[in-house]
Amino acid sequence: MRHEPVLLVIAHGSRDPRHAATVHTLVEGVRALRPGLRVETGFLDFNIPSVQGVLESLAAEGVRDVVALPLLLTRAFHAKADIPAVLRDAPRGLRIRQAEVLGPSPLLLSALERRLYEAGLTPADKPATGVVLASAGSSDPEAIAVIAEIAREWRHTGWCAVRPAFASARLPRTEDAVRELRELGCARVAVAPYVLAPGFLPDRIARGAAGADVLAEVLGPAPEVARLLVERYETAALEHAWHRVGPLPRMRSLA
């Protein structure tokens, strides 16, 4: 009987208890979409269980195959350095494949729009509404370029305008982007947090949205996000199986 790889969702972690609660709710959504799939959650910092602790427990149980899925929206330092470093220190008996980060994806755009509509907008409001795509921010140029491209792509779906903003590391801040959209002539301004869970930086985004007409909730356990986790898992699991049966198998393969 063939066993599917265990899905290990890797979250950043936060001192804010809302962060872990949101992550666990999202993971429950994944379990509902894929009954029978074993899904575990590990945190890089602040919360338990740690990623290393989960991997050690899985190895002790005799688990062989794991797909490690970063709960990240962009491919920046955590995806490029922190997570691979943790996975390299995993017990040697485990075969691990690191899945791709969540963004960019059309499913995330759908989740962003869902949150805006839940906050009171309708599709009919789009031509008169400017949107601030407010992300946590990063010092990684690749991640910043991805956010800018998402804003450009989203603009073409009918919004008056879409401007990226960042809670840290880069400018503009949310309040600056709100002001720019006002000056541009948008009748209404909405802020869409491009973040997965509440915490320090999402709270900074919310404060910067004080001058906007609409502030959406974080993406959190939106159904589209849960579906995207399943999609990323299934892609990585197929690649994992290919490496396992190929002519040159490796004990650990990190994307």
Side-chain angles (χ1 to χ4, degrees):
M1 177 179 180
R2 190 179 74 85
H3 295 282
E4 291 184 299
V6 171
L7 169 57
L8 171 57
V9 177
I10 300 179
H12 182 274
S14 171
R15 292 186 178 90
D16 189 321
R18 297 173 297 168
H19 175 91
T22 300
V23 170
H24 289 310
T25 301
L26 174 58
V27 169
E28 285 303 317
V30 174
R31 291 190 178 110
L33 289 173
R34 283 294 307 269
L37 173 64
R38 181 170 179 180
V39 187
E40 301 289 343
T41 307
F43 296 90
L44 290 173
D45 205 354
F46 302 117
N47 303 105
I48 55 173
S50 68
V51 176
Q52 186 68 25
V54 174
L55 291 172
E56 290 173 357
S57 295
L58 292 174
E61 292 178 31
V63 170
R64 305 296 290 176
D65 298 324
V66 177
V67 168
L69 200 167
L71 198 59
L72 300 170
L73 295 174
T74 58
R75 182 170 162 75
F77 182 79
H78 293 306
K80 294 177 178 178
D82 283 353
I83 292 176
V86 173
L87 298 182
R88 280 193 294 270
D89 288 337
R92 293 185 59 82
L94 290 175
R95 291 176 290 209
I96 304 173
R97 170 157 289 274
Q98 182 176 328
E100 292 295 329
V101 298
L102 300 182
S105 167
L107 284 170
L108 291 175
L109 286 181
S110 296
L112 286 166
E113 295 213 354
R114 170 190 291 276
R115 292 302 189 223
L116 286 172
Y117 297 152
E118 289 172 349
L121 294 179
T122 70
D125 295 322
K126 293 178 76 170
T129 302
V131 179
V132 178
L133 179 68
S135 73
S138 173
S139 59
D140 188 300
E142 178 185 348
I144 297 302
V146 167
I147 298 297
E149 179 58 31
I150 292 170
R152 285 191 292 269
E153 180 181 342
W154 202 15
R155 163 68 181 83
H156 294 311
T157 66
W159 298 102
C160 172
V162 180
R163 294 291 186 272
F166 308 96
S168 67
R170 294 294 181 101
L171 297 175
R173 295 287 183 256
T174 301
E175 54 268 33
D176 300 326
V178 169
R179 185 166 51 252
E180 180 185 350
L181 290 171
R182 293 282 189 210
E183 294 171 353
L184 190 63
C186 298
R188 185 185 293 103
V189 176
V191 174
Y194 190 61
V195 293
L196 286 166
F200 177 76
L201 292 179
D203 284 349
R204 179 179 289 178
I205 289 171
R207 291 192 297 271
D213 302 293
V214 174
L215 171 62
E217 293 292 329
V218 299
L219 295 171
E224 295 86 355
V225 180
R227 289 203 298 272
L228 181 55
L229 263 69
V230 172
E231 182 180 291
R232 292 287 189 260
Y233 165 80
E234 290 177 343
T235 299
L238 286 174
E239 294 172 351
H240 186 107
W242 186 89
H243 280 294
R244 190 166 62 249
V245 301
L248 295 174
R250 290 179 288 176
M251 286 303 294
R252 186 175 301 137
S253 176
L254 302 182

XYZ file of all heavy atoms in Angstrom, residues 24 38 40 47 77 86 101 107 128-129 159 166 170 172 187 217 235 241:
152
model
N -3.538 27.310 12.756
C -4.187 26.032 13.047
C -5.555 25.942 12.372
O -5.951 24.856 11.894
C -4.319 25.849 14.554
C -3.018 25.599 15.252
N -2.121 24.637 14.838
C -2.447 26.200 16.336
C -1.064 24.644 15.631
N -1.232 25.586 16.549
N -2.156 13.062 6.280
C -1.618 13.512 7.564
C -0.987 14.885 7.397
O -0.086 15.078 6.572
C -0.589 12.522 8.101
C -0.024 12.953 9.463
C 0.791 11.879 10.099
N 1.340 12.321 11.381
C 2.108 11.577 12.166
N 2.421 10.335 11.799
N 2.554 12.055 13.310
N 0.772 18.054 9.557
C 1.365 18.534 10.794
C 1.742 20.005 10.634
O 1.924 20.497 9.518
C 2.601 17.717 11.160
C 2.350 16.235 11.352
C 1.561 15.937 12.627
O 1.493 16.829 13.501
O 1.037 14.823 12.739
N 6.503 29.811 18.734
C 5.429 28.871 19.053
C 5.929 27.432 19.010
O 6.976 27.135 18.431
C 4.258 29.025 18.074
C 3.704 30.439 18.036
O 3.934 31.190 17.102
N 2.969 30.803 19.068
N 13.895 35.569 2.484
C 14.939 34.971 3.311
C 14.498 33.685 4.000
O 15.245 32.695 4.030
C 15.404 35.985 4.364
C 16.521 35.473 5.230
C 17.829 35.453 4.766
C 16.267 34.990 6.502
C 18.862 34.971 5.555
C 17.298 34.513 7.301
C 18.594 34.499 6.822
N 16.882 24.476 8.507
C 16.204 23.590 9.465
C 16.026 22.198 8.875
O 16.246 21.181 9.547
C 14.839 24.186 9.872
C 14.055 23.188 10.721
C 15.033 25.476 10.656
N 6.649 28.299 -2.119
C 5.855 29.224 -1.311
C 4.505 29.436 -1.984
O 4.294 29.051 -3.140
C 6.591 30.567 -1.128
C 7.900 30.355 -0.376
C 6.836 31.246 -2.474
N -5.268 32.056 -6.945
C -6.091 31.761 -5.770
C -5.916 32.830 -4.691
O -6.866 33.153 -3.965
C -5.742 30.381 -5.211
C -6.292 29.192 -5.991
C -5.676 27.887 -5.496
C -7.808 29.132 -5.889
N -14.491 52.416 -9.229
C -14.310 53.656 -8.466
C -13.441 53.464 -7.230
O -13.259 54.409 -6.456
C -15.676 54.211 -8.057
N -12.902 52.268 -7.046
C -12.167 51.956 -5.817
C -10.694 51.704 -6.103
O -10.338 50.877 -6.950
C -12.765 50.717 -5.127
O -14.141 50.944 -4.843
C -12.041 50.423 -3.824
N -10.177 47.240 -10.996
C -10.066 48.253 -9.946
C -9.616 49.577 -10.536
O -8.927 49.616 -11.562
C -9.084 47.801 -8.868
C -9.498 46.557 -8.153
C -9.024 45.289 -8.357
C -10.505 46.450 -7.131
N -9.662 44.402 -7.527
C -10.583 45.084 -6.763
C -11.339 47.363 -6.498
C -11.453 44.611 -5.787
C -12.213 46.906 -5.514
C -12.270 45.548 -5.172
N 4.135 48.568 2.105
C 4.898 47.644 2.933
C 4.912 48.119 4.380
O 5.065 49.309 4.658
C 6.324 47.540 2.394
C 6.379 47.236 0.923
C 6.530 48.256 -0.004
C 6.210 45.940 0.467
C 6.542 47.983 -1.369
C 6.211 45.660 -0.894
C 6.381 46.681 -1.816
N 10.656 48.339 3.292
C 10.544 49.131 2.072
C 9.437 50.174 2.205
O 8.551 50.053 3.034
C 10.232 48.220 0.873
C 11.337 47.245 0.494
C 12.578 47.984 -0.020
N 13.634 47.056 -0.401
C 13.898 46.703 -1.658
N 13.172 47.191 -2.647
N 14.880 45.859 -1.937
N 6.461 52.383 -0.262
C 5.716 53.259 0.646
C 5.027 52.484 1.762
O 4.805 51.279 1.653
C 4.677 53.907 -0.271
C 4.394 52.842 -1.288
C 5.719 52.160 -1.531
N -12.610 57.398 -5.965
C -13.711 57.814 -5.097
C -13.681 57.091 -3.761
O -14.168 57.606 -2.748
C -15.048 57.566 -5.804
N -9.885 42.038 6.163
C -9.202 41.160 7.103
C -7.994 40.516 6.424
O -7.882 40.488 5.192
C -10.156 40.073 7.599
C -11.305 40.578 8.445
C -10.830 41.113 9.782
O -9.806 40.604 10.302
O -11.464 42.055 10.298
N 1.749 19.114 -5.942
C 2.840 19.305 -6.901
C 4.161 18.786 -6.338
O 4.899 18.057 -7.007
C 2.977 20.791 -7.263
O 1.764 21.243 -7.873
C 4.137 21.015 -8.214
N 7.916 11.832 -5.392
C 7.828 10.446 -5.844
C 8.786 10.198 -7.008
O 9.416 9.150 -7.103
C 6.386 10.124 -6.250
